[in-house]
Short mmCIF file of all heavy atoms in Angstrom, two decimals:
data_model
loop_
_atom_site.label_atom_id
_atom_site.label_comp_id
_atom_site.label_asym_id
_atom_site.label_seq_id
_atom_site.Cartn_x
_atom_site.Cartn_y
_atom_site.Cartn_z
N GLY A 26 7.30 -9.74 14.50
CA GLY A 26 7.35 -10.91 15.36
C GLY A 26 8.37 -11.87 14.75
O GLY A 26 8.95 -11.60 13.70
N GLN A 27 8.56 -13.00 15.40
CA GLN A 27 9.56 -13.94 14.89
C GLN A 27 9.25 -14.42 13.48
O GLN A 27 10.14 -14.51 12.62
CB GLN A 27 9.70 -15.12 15.83
CG GLN A 27 10.87 -16.02 15.46
CD GLN A 27 10.94 -17.25 16.32
OE1 GLN A 27 10.87 -18.36 15.81
NE2 GLN A 27 11.05 -17.07 17.62
N GLN A 28 7.99 -14.72 13.21
CA GLN A 28 7.65 -15.21 11.86
C GLN A 28 7.80 -14.11 10.81
O GLN A 28 8.02 -14.40 9.64
CB GLN A 28 6.25 -15.81 11.85
CG GLN A 28 6.13 -17.09 12.66
CD GLN A 28 7.18 -18.14 12.27
OE1 GLN A 28 7.30 -18.48 11.09
NE2 GLN A 28 7.94 -18.62 13.24
N THR A 29 7.68 -12.84 11.24
CA THR A 29 7.99 -11.74 10.32
C THR A 29 9.43 -11.86 9.86
O THR A 29 9.76 -11.68 8.68
CB THR A 29 7.80 -10.38 11.01
OG1 THR A 29 6.55 -10.34 11.66
CG2 THR A 29 7.90 -9.24 10.01
N HIS A 30 10.33 -12.14 10.79
CA HIS A 30 11.74 -12.25 10.45
C HIS A 30 12.02 -13.45 9.55
O HIS A 30 12.85 -13.37 8.64
CB HIS A 30 12.58 -12.32 11.72
CG HIS A 30 12.72 -10.99 12.40
ND1 HIS A 30 13.40 -10.83 13.60
CD2 HIS A 30 12.29 -9.75 12.04
CE1 HIS A 30 13.38 -9.55 13.93
NE2 HIS A 30 12.71 -8.89 13.01
N VAL A 31 11.36 -14.55 9.82
CA VAL A 31 11.50 -15.70 8.92
C VAL A 31 11.08 -15.31 7.51
O VAL A 31 11.78 -15.60 6.53
CB VAL A 31 10.67 -16.90 9.42
CG1 VAL A 31 10.76 -18.06 8.43
CG2 VAL A 31 11.13 -17.33 10.81
N GLN A 32 9.94 -14.64 7.40
CA GLN A 32 9.44 -14.26 6.09
C GLN A 32 10.33 -13.22 5.42
O GLN A 32 10.48 -13.21 4.19
CB GLN A 32 8.01 -13.74 6.19
CG GLN A 32 7.26 -13.76 4.87
CD GLN A 32 7.15 -15.16 4.27
OE1 GLN A 32 6.82 -16.12 4.97
NE2 GLN A 32 7.48 -15.29 3.00
N ASP A 33 10.93 -12.32 6.21
CA ASP A 33 11.90 -11.36 5.65
C ASP A 33 12.98 -12.09 4.85
O ASP A 33 13.36 -11.67 3.76
CB ASP A 33 12.59 -10.57 6.77
CG ASP A 33 11.73 -9.50 7.40
OD1 ASP A 33 10.70 -9.11 6.81
OD2 ASP A 33 12.09 -9.04 8.50
N ILE A 34 13.48 -13.16 5.42
CA ILE A 34 14.58 -13.91 4.80
C ILE A 34 14.10 -14.66 3.57
O ILE A 34 14.73 -14.60 2.50
CB ILE A 34 15.20 -14.88 5.83
CG1 ILE A 34 15.76 -14.09 7.03
CG2 ILE A 34 16.30 -15.72 5.18
CD1 ILE A 34 16.02 -14.94 8.25
N VAL A 35 12.99 -15.36 3.70
CA VAL A 35 12.43 -16.09 2.56
C VAL A 35 12.12 -15.14 1.41
O VAL A 35 12.43 -15.41 0.24
CB VAL A 35 11.18 -16.87 2.98
CG1 VAL A 35 10.50 -17.51 1.77
CG2 VAL A 35 11.53 -17.94 4.02
N ASP A 36 11.51 -14.00 1.74
CA ASP A 36 11.14 -13.03 0.70
C ASP A 36 12.36 -12.48 -0.02
O ASP A 36 12.32 -12.26 -1.24
CB ASP A 36 10.35 -11.86 1.32
CG ASP A 36 8.94 -12.24 1.72
OD1 ASP A 36 8.48 -13.34 1.33
OD2 ASP A 36 8.29 -11.44 2.43
N GLU A 37 13.44 -12.25 0.71
CA GLU A 37 14.66 -11.74 0.08
C GLU A 37 15.23 -12.74 -0.93
O GLU A 37 15.61 -12.36 -2.04
CB GLU A 37 15.71 -11.42 1.15
CG GLU A 37 16.98 -10.78 0.63
CD GLU A 37 16.84 -9.31 0.28
OE1 GLU A 37 15.70 -8.79 0.32
OE2 GLU A 37 17.86 -8.68 -0.03
N VAL A 38 15.27 -13.98 -0.55
CA VAL A 38 15.77 -15.02 -1.45
C VAL A 38 14.89 -15.13 -2.69
O VAL A 38 15.40 -15.19 -3.83
CB VAL A 38 15.85 -16.37 -0.71
CG1 VAL A 38 16.14 -17.51 -1.69
CG2 VAL A 38 16.89 -16.33 0.39
N GLU A 39 13.59 -15.12 -2.49
CA GLU A 39 12.67 -15.27 -3.62
C GLU A 39 12.62 -14.02 -4.48
O GLU A 39 12.57 -14.10 -5.72
CB GLU A 39 11.29 -15.64 -3.11
CG GLU A 39 11.26 -17.03 -2.45
CD GLU A 39 9.88 -17.42 -1.96
OE1 GLU A 39 8.99 -16.53 -1.89
OE2 GLU A 39 9.70 -18.61 -1.63
N ARG A 40 12.65 -12.84 -3.85
CA ARG A 40 12.60 -11.58 -4.60
C ARG A 40 13.78 -11.45 -5.55
O ARG A 40 13.63 -10.99 -6.69
CB ARG A 40 12.58 -10.41 -3.63
CG ARG A 40 12.53 -9.03 -4.29
CD ARG A 40 12.52 -7.92 -3.25
NE ARG A 40 13.79 -7.83 -2.53
CZ ARG A 40 14.85 -7.18 -2.99
NH1 ARG A 40 14.80 -6.56 -4.17
NH2 ARG A 40 15.96 -7.12 -2.28
N LEU A 41 14.95 -11.88 -5.10
CA LEU A 41 16.16 -11.77 -5.91
C LEU A 41 16.38 -12.98 -6.80
O LEU A 41 17.33 -13.00 -7.58
CB LEU A 41 17.37 -11.56 -4.99
CG LEU A 41 17.37 -10.27 -4.16
CD1 LEU A 41 18.54 -10.26 -3.19
CD2 LEU A 41 17.39 -9.05 -5.06
N GLY A 42 15.53 -13.98 -6.67
CA GLY A 42 15.67 -15.18 -7.48
C GLY A 42 16.97 -15.93 -7.21
O GLY A 42 17.57 -16.49 -8.15
N LEU A 43 17.38 -15.98 -5.96
CA LEU A 43 18.68 -16.56 -5.63
C LEU A 43 18.64 -18.08 -5.61
O LEU A 43 17.66 -18.69 -5.18
CB LEU A 43 19.14 -16.06 -4.26
CG LEU A 43 19.27 -14.54 -4.08
CD1 LEU A 43 19.73 -14.22 -2.66
CD2 LEU A 43 20.23 -13.95 -5.10
N ARG A 44 19.74 -18.67 -6.04
CA ARG A 44 19.97 -20.11 -5.94
C ARG A 44 21.38 -20.32 -5.41
O ARG A 44 22.17 -19.39 -5.34
CB ARG A 44 19.76 -20.81 -7.27
CG ARG A 44 18.40 -20.50 -7.91
CD ARG A 44 18.11 -21.41 -9.09
NE ARG A 44 17.78 -22.76 -8.66
CZ ARG A 44 16.57 -23.14 -8.25
NH1 ARG A 44 15.57 -22.28 -8.23
NH2 ARG A 44 16.35 -24.37 -7.89
N ASP A 45 21.70 -21.55 -5.04
CA ASP A 45 23.01 -21.85 -4.43
C ASP A 45 23.24 -20.91 -3.25
O ASP A 45 24.28 -20.26 -3.12
CB ASP A 45 24.13 -21.72 -5.47
CG ASP A 45 25.44 -22.35 -4.99
OD1 ASP A 45 25.38 -23.19 -4.07
OD2 ASP A 45 26.51 -21.97 -5.51
N VAL A 46 22.24 -20.86 -2.38
CA VAL A 46 22.21 -19.90 -1.28
C VAL A 46 22.88 -20.48 -0.03
O VAL A 46 22.57 -21.59 0.40
CB VAL A 46 20.76 -19.50 -0.94
CG1 VAL A 46 20.71 -18.63 0.32
CG2 VAL A 46 20.12 -18.79 -2.13
N VAL A 47 23.78 -19.70 0.55
CA VAL A 47 24.30 -19.97 1.87
C VAL A 47 23.67 -18.95 2.81
O VAL A 47 23.95 -17.76 2.73
CB VAL A 47 25.83 -19.88 1.93
CG1 VAL A 47 26.32 -20.02 3.37
CG2 VAL A 47 26.46 -20.96 1.06
N LEU A 48 22.77 -19.42 3.68
CA LEU A 48 22.13 -18.56 4.67
C LEU A 48 23.02 -18.50 5.91
O LEU A 48 23.42 -19.55 6.43
CB LEU A 48 20.76 -19.11 5.07
CG LEU A 48 19.61 -18.98 4.10
CD1 LEU A 48 18.34 -19.56 4.74
CD2 LEU A 48 19.38 -17.53 3.71
N VAL A 49 23.30 -17.30 6.36
CA VAL A 49 24.17 -17.12 7.52
C VAL A 49 23.40 -16.38 8.60
O VAL A 49 22.92 -15.27 8.39
CB VAL A 49 25.43 -16.32 7.13
CG1 VAL A 49 26.35 -16.16 8.35
CG2 VAL A 49 26.17 -16.99 5.98
N GLY A 50 23.27 -17.03 9.76
CA GLY A 50 22.55 -16.43 10.87
C GLY A 50 23.44 -16.29 12.08
O GLY A 50 24.03 -17.27 12.54
N HIS A 51 23.57 -15.07 12.60
CA HIS A 51 24.40 -14.80 13.76
C HIS A 51 23.54 -14.60 15.00
O HIS A 51 22.52 -13.91 14.95
CB HIS A 51 25.25 -13.55 13.49
CG HIS A 51 25.80 -12.91 14.72
ND1 HIS A 51 25.27 -11.74 15.25
CD2 HIS A 51 26.82 -13.27 15.55
CE1 HIS A 51 25.95 -11.41 16.33
NE2 HIS A 51 26.89 -12.32 16.54
N SER A 52 23.94 -15.22 16.11
CA SER A 52 23.29 -15.00 17.40
C SER A 52 21.78 -15.26 17.31
O SER A 52 21.36 -16.32 16.85
CB SER A 52 23.61 -13.58 17.90
OG SER A 52 23.27 -13.41 19.25
N TYR A 53 20.94 -14.29 17.74
CA TYR A 53 19.50 -14.48 17.66
C TYR A 53 19.05 -14.93 16.27
O TYR A 53 18.13 -15.76 16.13
CB TYR A 53 18.77 -13.18 18.02
CG TYR A 53 17.41 -13.08 17.36
CD1 TYR A 53 16.32 -13.78 17.89
CD2 TYR A 53 17.23 -12.34 16.18
CE1 TYR A 53 15.08 -13.73 17.25
CE2 TYR A 53 15.99 -12.29 15.56
CZ TYR A 53 14.92 -12.99 16.08
OH TYR A 53 13.70 -12.96 15.46
N ALA A 54 19.68 -14.39 15.22
CA ALA A 54 19.21 -14.63 13.85
C ALA A 54 19.31 -16.09 13.43
O ALA A 54 18.70 -16.49 12.44
CB ALA A 54 19.97 -13.75 12.86
N GLY A 55 20.04 -16.91 14.20
CA GLY A 55 20.03 -18.32 13.88
C GLY A 55 18.64 -18.92 13.96
O GLY A 55 18.33 -19.89 13.25
N ILE A 56 17.78 -18.35 14.80
CA ILE A 56 16.43 -18.90 14.95
C ILE A 56 15.59 -18.66 13.70
O ILE A 56 15.04 -19.61 13.12
CB ILE A 56 15.76 -18.34 16.23
CG1 ILE A 56 16.49 -18.88 17.47
CG2 ILE A 56 14.28 -18.71 16.27
CD1 ILE A 56 15.98 -18.35 18.78
N PRO A 57 15.45 -17.43 13.18
CA PRO A 57 14.72 -17.28 11.92
C PRO A 57 15.44 -17.86 10.72
O PRO A 57 14.80 -18.38 9.79
CB PRO A 57 14.53 -15.76 11.79
CG PRO A 57 15.57 -15.15 12.66
CD PRO A 57 15.76 -16.11 13.79
N VAL A 58 16.77 -17.82 10.71
CA VAL A 58 17.52 -18.39 9.58
C VAL A 58 17.30 -19.90 9.50
O VAL A 58 17.10 -20.45 8.41
CB VAL A 58 19.02 -18.04 9.70
CG1 VAL A 58 19.87 -19.01 8.87
CG2 VAL A 58 19.26 -16.62 9.23
N GLY A 59 17.32 -20.58 10.63
CA GLY A 59 17.09 -22.02 10.61
C GLY A 59 15.72 -22.39 10.08
O GLY A 59 15.56 -23.40 9.37
N GLN A 60 14.71 -21.58 10.40
CA GLN A 60 13.37 -21.83 9.88
C GLN A 60 13.28 -21.50 8.39
O GLN A 60 12.68 -22.25 7.61
CB GLN A 60 12.35 -20.99 10.66
CG GLN A 60 12.23 -21.40 12.11
CD GLN A 60 11.42 -20.40 12.91
OE1 GLN A 60 10.18 -20.40 12.86
NE2 GLN A 60 12.11 -19.54 13.66
N ALA A 61 13.90 -20.39 8.00
CA ALA A 61 13.88 -20.01 6.59
C ALA A 61 14.61 -21.03 5.73
O ALA A 61 14.23 -21.28 4.58
CB ALA A 61 14.50 -18.63 6.40
N ALA A 62 15.66 -21.64 6.28
CA ALA A 62 16.46 -22.59 5.51
C ALA A 62 15.62 -23.75 5.00
O ALA A 62 15.80 -24.20 3.86
CB ALA A 62 17.62 -23.10 6.36
N GLU A 63 14.71 -24.24 5.83
CA GLU A 63 13.89 -25.36 5.37
C GLU A 63 12.78 -24.91 4.41
O GLU A 63 12.25 -25.71 3.65
CB GLU A 63 13.30 -26.14 6.54
CG GLU A 63 12.22 -25.44 7.33
CD GLU A 63 11.54 -26.37 8.34
OE1 GLU A 63 12.13 -27.41 8.70
OE2 GLU A 63 10.42 -26.06 8.77
N ARG A 64 12.46 -23.61 4.43
CA ARG A 64 11.37 -23.11 3.59
C ARG A 64 11.80 -22.71 2.19
O ARG A 64 10.95 -22.57 1.31
CB ARG A 64 10.68 -21.94 4.29
CG ARG A 64 10.07 -22.34 5.63
CD ARG A 64 9.29 -21.24 6.30
NE ARG A 64 9.05 -21.57 7.71
CZ ARG A 64 8.36 -20.82 8.54
NH1 ARG A 64 7.83 -19.68 8.11
NH2 ARG A 64 8.20 -21.18 9.80
N ILE A 65 13.11 -22.50 1.98
CA ILE A 65 13.54 -22.11 0.63
C ILE A 65 13.90 -23.32 -0.21
O ILE A 65 14.28 -23.19 -1.39
CB ILE A 65 14.70 -21.10 0.65
CG1 ILE A 65 15.96 -21.70 1.27
CG2 ILE A 65 14.28 -19.82 1.39
CD1 ILE A 65 17.19 -20.80 1.13
N GLY A 66 13.80 -24.51 0.36
CA GLY A 66 13.91 -25.74 -0.40
C GLY A 66 15.22 -25.89 -1.15
O GLY A 66 16.31 -25.69 -0.60
N GLU A 67 15.12 -26.23 -2.44
CA GLU A 67 16.30 -26.54 -3.23
C GLU A 67 17.18 -25.33 -3.52
O GLU A 67 18.28 -25.46 -4.05
CB GLU A 67 15.88 -27.18 -4.56
CG GLU A 67 15.06 -26.27 -5.45
CD GLU A 67 14.64 -26.94 -6.75
OE1 GLU A 67 14.82 -28.16 -6.86
OE2 GLU A 67 14.16 -26.23 -7.64
N ARG A 68 16.71 -24.15 -3.18
CA ARG A 68 17.56 -22.96 -3.34
C ARG A 68 18.74 -22.98 -2.35
O ARG A 68 19.75 -22.32 -2.57
CB ARG A 68 16.76 -21.68 -3.11
CG ARG A 68 15.65 -21.42 -4.13
CD ARG A 68 14.86 -20.18 -3.74
NE ARG A 68 13.75 -19.92 -4.64
CZ ARG A 68 13.82 -19.16 -5.74
NH1 ARG A 68 14.97 -18.61 -6.07
NH2 ARG A 68 12.76 -18.97 -6.49
N LEU A 69 18.59 -23.72 -1.26
CA LEU A 69 19.59 -23.73 -0.19
C LEU A 69 20.77 -24.63 -0.53
O LEU A 69 20.60 -25.79 -0.90
CB LEU A 69 18.96 -24.22 1.12
CG LEU A 69 19.91 -24.28 2.32
CD1 LEU A 69 20.20 -22.87 2.82
CD2 LEU A 69 19.32 -25.14 3.43
N ALA A 70 21.99 -24.07 -0.36
CA ALA A 70 23.20 -24.88 -0.46
C ALA A 70 23.68 -25.29 0.93
O ALA A 70 24.07 -26.43 1.16
CB ALA A 70 24.30 -24.11 -1.18
N ARG A 71 23.65 -24.33 1.85
CA ARG A 71 24.10 -24.60 3.22
C ARG A 71 23.61 -23.50 4.14
O ARG A 71 23.36 -22.38 3.70
CB ARG A 71 25.63 -24.70 3.28
CG ARG A 71 26.16 -25.35 4.56
CD ARG A 71 27.62 -25.76 4.43
NE ARG A 71 28.02 -26.61 5.56
CZ ARG A 71 27.85 -27.92 5.61
NH1 ARG A 71 27.30 -28.56 4.58
NH2 ARG A 71 28.23 -28.63 6.66
N VAL A 72 23.48 -23.82 5.40
CA VAL A 72 23.18 -22.80 6.41
C VAL A 72 24.35 -22.74 7.39
O VAL A 72 24.94 -23.78 7.73
CB VAL A 72 21.84 -23.10 7.14
CG1 VAL A 72 21.84 -24.45 7.79
CG2 VAL A 72 21.52 -22.00 8.15
#
């Protein structure tokens, strides 16, 4: 479902321990990417 996709993105960032993250969402993916962007907090540099 849509929240599965949001969690896919958050989990990837956290699993890899990423910081200074630029999240890139194309077409439909802008919807889960925009939600994930606010959930990864200070790890985010830009969306």
